[in-house]
């Protein structure tokens, strides 16, 4: 099994891609710390996996808060003694809002979860990984990291920034045993939405035709993204560092 004796932390683990990832890591032998801001579904997943014999810990945490990040990483090292894999996967959409209409609250919310969160987690995970000789980080970016017309401004900026974080960490820490890569999913059938809020009508009218025209009919299952993330996280990808992998059924090839 690819992750035998390894410890993986997955943020956004209660739903969608993160949930599929938690299940995959468990199935491949890892001890897993599943992290989510929503407690009920997280604890249900943990209970379900424990019943099957998994080594799994659930941590209710908001990735935008440094104290919560510290707590989730301490959960990994105190329960399982190490940290091999960090998957910065938690994320929220914006409301398809073009820059001039973005409220500061919306900007802060999306950037703090989608970009500050992965930065805070990497900042604290890297010293742990360096002390044990290495590790692997995989960030869940998006098609919106590759183009300007797949979401509103905050989400697009946050995911472009996440690619910068990925490459910078790959550059600075690759030679010391830490690999950092990113995936850019296209459309995936998950619970991500516009947060219950009304979308920006202008943004929606501009973005939807682009998505409908460019995105092939295939909407991925979360497991298809989890397969790519777990490959990048694994030692099979030992020579892959700083890569940005489109997992979008060809959307970015259009
Ligand atoms: N679904 C898609 O079409 C799609 C496409 C490209 C990229 N993505 C990215 O995939 C990642 C996973 O999203 P998903 O589609 O599985 O959505 P999802 O909503 O099903 O799952 C996201 C999880 O993240 C959690 N979360 C949100 N804010 C959090 C916070 N502050 N702290 C901790 N957890 C938090 C949510 O509670 C949820 O369980 C996101 O980064 C998203 O941007 C999704």
């Amino acid at each position: 099994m690819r992750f035998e004796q390894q410890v993986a932390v997955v943020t956004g683990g209660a739903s969608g891609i993160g949930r599929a990832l938690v299940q995959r890591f468990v199935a491949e032998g890892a001890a897993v710390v599943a992290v989510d801001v929503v407690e009920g579904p997280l604890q249900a997943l943990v209970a379900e996996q424990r019943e099957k014999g998994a080594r799994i810990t659930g941590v209710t945490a908001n990735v935008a808060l440094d104290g919560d990040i510290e707590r989730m990483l301490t959960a990994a090292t105190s329960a399982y003694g190490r940290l091999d894999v960090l998957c910065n996967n938690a994320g929220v959409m914006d409301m398809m809002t073009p820059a001039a209409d973005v409220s500061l609250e919306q900007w802060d919310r999306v950037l703090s979860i989608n970009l500050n969160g992965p930065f805070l987690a990497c900042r604290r995970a890297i010293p742990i990984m360096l002390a044990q000789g290495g590790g692997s980080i995989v960030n869940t970016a998006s098609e919106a990291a590759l183009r300007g017309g797949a979401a509103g401004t905050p989400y697009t900026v946050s995911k472009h920034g996440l690619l910068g974080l990925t490459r910078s960490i790959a550059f600075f820490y690759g030679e010391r045993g830490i690999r950092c890569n990113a995936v850019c999913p296209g459309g995936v059938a998950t619970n991500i939405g516009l947060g219950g809020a009304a979308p920006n009508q202008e943004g929606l009218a501009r973005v939807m035709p682009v998505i409908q025209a460019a995105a092939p009919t295939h909407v991925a299952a979360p497991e298809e993204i989890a397969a790519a993330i777990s490959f990048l996280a694994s030692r099979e990808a030992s020579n892959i560092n700083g890569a940005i992998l489109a997992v979008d059924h060809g959307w970015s090839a259009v």
Side-chain angles (χ1 to χ4, degrees):
M1 288 199 281
R2 289 191 302 184
F3 295 100
E4 194 115 47
Q5 316 270 318
Q6 293 193 41
V7 179
V9 172
V10 178
T11 70
S15 174
I17 296 166
R19 184 183 168 89
L21 205 45
V22 167
Q23 291 168 328
R24 176 133 199 165
F25 280 132
V26 164
E28 295 202 58
V32 177
V33 174
V35 181
D36 208 287
V37 74
V38 176
E39 183 157 24
L42 177 68
Q43 292 311 334
L45 173 66
V46 168
E48 171 197 302
Q49 291 297 316
R50 279 210 182 124
E51 258 179 46
K52 295 180 189 164
R55 290 194 302 152
I56 183 167
T57 301
V59 177
T60 308
N62 178 354
V63 297
L65 302 178
D66 189 42
D68 283 20
I69 291 288
E70 185 177 23
R71 198 159 46 77
M72 87 179 184
L73 295 176
T74 302
T77 52
S78 59
Y80 306 116
R82 49 189 296 117
L83 173 63
D84 300 284
V85 174
L86 169 66
C87 293
N88 288 309
N89 169 77
V92 291
M93 267 298 287
D94 58 19
M95 291 182 281
M96 301 289 184
T97 320
D101 293 331
V102 175
S103 69
L104 293 184
E105 289 74 17
Q106 188 187 165
W107 177 263
D108 286 344
R109 175 168 189 270
V110 174
L111 270 290
S112 68
I113 295 171
N114 291 7
L115 186 55
N116 290 12
F119 162 68
L120 293 172
C122 289
R123 192 176 74 104
R124 289 191 177 275
I126 287 167
I128 300 170
M129 290 176 169
L130 287 176
Q132 67 187 29
S136 176
I137 299 169
V138 185
N139 296 320
T140 307
S142 168
E143 196 69 27
L146 305 174
R147 58 183 77 247
T153 300
Y155 187 85
T156 301
V157 171
S158 72
K159 295 298 188 179
H160 274 69
L162 193 52
L163 299 193
L165 180 71
T166 302
R167 291 188 173 113
S168 180
I169 289 171
F171 168 72
F172 280 114
Y173 299 100
E175 63 194 27
R176 287 191 269 167
I178 297 178
R179 296 183 301 105
C180 185
N181 295 292
V183 295
C184 294
V188 191
T190 70
N191 293 317
I192 206 163
L194 304 179
N200 179 283
Q201 288 308 312
E202 184 198 339
L204 198 65
R206 291 290 302 278
V207 171
M208 284 321 289
V210 175
I211 293 179
Q212 280 157 2
T217 49
H218 183 79
V219 174
E223 290 74 17
E224 295 181 272
I225 315 303
I229 294 173
S230 62
F231 163 69
L232 289 172
S234 78
R235 292 187 182 125
E236 283 185 277
S238 58
N239 199 39
I240 303 179
N241 186 30
I244 309 301
L245 180 63
V247 191
D248 62 0
H249 211 257
W251 180 357
S252 54
V254 176

